[in-house]
Amino acid sequence: MNLPPIEEYALLYILENELRKLMENELPKVSSKWWKERIPEDVRKNAEKRIEEKKQLWPWHPTKSKNLLHFLDFTDYVKIIGRRDNWRDVFQRIFKDKDLLLGKLKELKPIRDSIAHSRSLTQSERDILRINAKSILVSIWNYRINSIYVEPALELLDKGDLEKAKKLLMNGFDETKDGWVAFNLGKIYERIGELSEALWLYEFSHRTMPLPEYRKMAEEAILRIKRKMKKIV
């Protein structure tokens, strides 16, 4: 599966955004002074320096983001996640294998540089981007979405408690606006025959899920719902 250049950029953008969001959400749980106590000194100083340089270069263009994590370099993710106390207290339970994760991030660095400078990727680089980004994203989503909303909802469905499963996913969708939550909620609406609601949720998931194979699942669900709706008419 080849990703077009715009999807290569989008996939990398989503990956970096999810990594920053993960750090922003999880590091404050282990330290209220996490920026000073959990970010390596060289990473912290370089990020602060980038902000100052931007202010001096474009003083008339105020920095929109006050989140210092937005001024990290890709190599900084390896330093932050791989730091011993951060791995032990935060990231081990999410990614499990430290060497494997850091190896994937290091493989992505030159690919990220090529995309940032609009250089075409080789087939090997496309494969590495697709495989590594998917692996890292799925680990984050399993921690942030599946373990909290989707897996418990599926367990409730197995027990026959459809209403509780529906309520859990509805709450999850309200809180996250996540495409995978929407997709699974759509399956419940389809199951109970509320096809218009199911269609809307499948269409939302198709627009918002970043991985092509997941969008394909949503596309197939959309076509299935439309066929069912035609039969009713």
Side-chain angles (χ1 to χ4, degrees):
M1 176 190 64
N2 289 341
L3 296 172
I6 191 168
E7 290 210 13
E8 293 169 355
Y9 174 84
L11 183 57
L12 195 64
Y13 173 84
I14 290 165
L15 174 62
E16 291 201 55
N17 194 51
E18 287 288 344
L19 285 169
R20 288 194 297 264
K21 191 188 302 181
L22 185 67
M23 295 175 196
E24 183 179 6
N25 290 341
E26 299 302 318
L27 289 175
K29 295 178 183 179
V30 296
S31 172
S32 60
K33 299 178 180 178
W34 62 272
W35 179 252
K36 289 188 176 181
E37 295 179 352
R38 294 297 182 130
I39 304 298
E41 184 178 4
D42 62 322
V43 173
R44 190 172 68 247
K45 288 184 175 179
N46 285 335
E48 292 167 354
K49 181 181 177 182
R50 290 184 191 108
I51 291 179
E52 289 304 314
E53 288 175 346
K54 183 174 182 180
K55 287 179 180 177
Q56 292 175 15
L57 189 59
W58 296 298
W60 58 87
H61 184 49
T63 301
K64 292 182 181 180
S65 175
K66 295 182 179 180
N67 186 343
L68 291 167
L69 292 174
H70 290 175
F71 294 87
L72 297 180
D73 186 66
F74 198 85
T75 54
D76 296 334
Y77 304 141
V78 173
K79 295 178 181 179
I80 295 170
I81 294 172
R83 182 170 146 153
R84 183 177 300 176
D85 55 352
N86 288 341
W87 179 259
R88 180 193 64 226
D89 298 338
V90 177
F91 300 109
Q92 184 174 19
R93 65 180 180 270
I94 301 168
F95 297 109
K96 315 302 182 190
D97 190 319
K98 182 178 181 179
D99 292 337
L100 185 61
L101 171 68
L102 299 186
K104 288 175 180 177
L105 288 171
K106 288 174 182 176
E107 281 186 324
L108 287 171
K109 173 62 169 68
I111 296 172
R112 192 262 189 195
D113 292 343
S114 292
I115 292 174
H117 292 91
S118 301
R119 293 193 292 265
S120 298
L121 300 183
T122 66
Q123 184 59 52
S124 175
E125 288 173 326
R126 291 191 191 98
D127 291 341
I128 290 170
L129 171 61
R130 176 177 55 83
I131 293 168
N132 288 9
K134 178 182 176 181
S135 174
I136 296 168
L137 285 169
V138 167
S139 292
I140 296 173
W141 293 334
N142 280 339
Y143 173 76
R144 189 170 63 83
I145 299 295
N146 276 351
S147 65
I148 299 174
Y149 304 111
V150 178
E151 289 173 1
L154 293 178
E155 290 176 5
L156 288 168
L157 284 175
D158 288 341
K159 295 175 182 177
D161 202 335
L162 189 146
E163 279 303 314
K164 281 188 178 179
K166 177 182 171 184
K167 184 176 181 181
L168 176 59
L169 288 174
M170 286 177 67
N171 289 339
F173 182 67
D174 287 342
E175 291 172 9
T176 67
K177 293 297 184 286
D178 180 80
W180 184 237
V181 174
F183 181 82
N184 282 276
L185 182 56
K187 290 200 291 186
I188 290 181
Y189 276 106
E190 181 180 2
R191 182 170 169 175
I192 61 179
E194 297 186 22
L195 301 184
S196 295
E197 290 81 358
L199 179 61
W200 187 89
L201 288 160
Y202 286 145
E203 289 176 338
F204 179 90
S205 66
H206 184 263
R207 292 194 304 272
T208 57
M209 291 196 293
L211 299 178
E213 52 265 55
Y214 287 79
R215 290 201 302 274
K216 179 67 174 176
M217 291 168 58
E219 183 179 347
E220 291 170 353
I222 290 167
L223 293 174
R224 184 175 66 246
I225 291 292
K226 287 182 176 180
R227 286 195 297 268
K228 289 182 178 182
M229 295 175 82
K230 280 185 178 181
K231 288 181 180 179
I232 294 173
V233 174

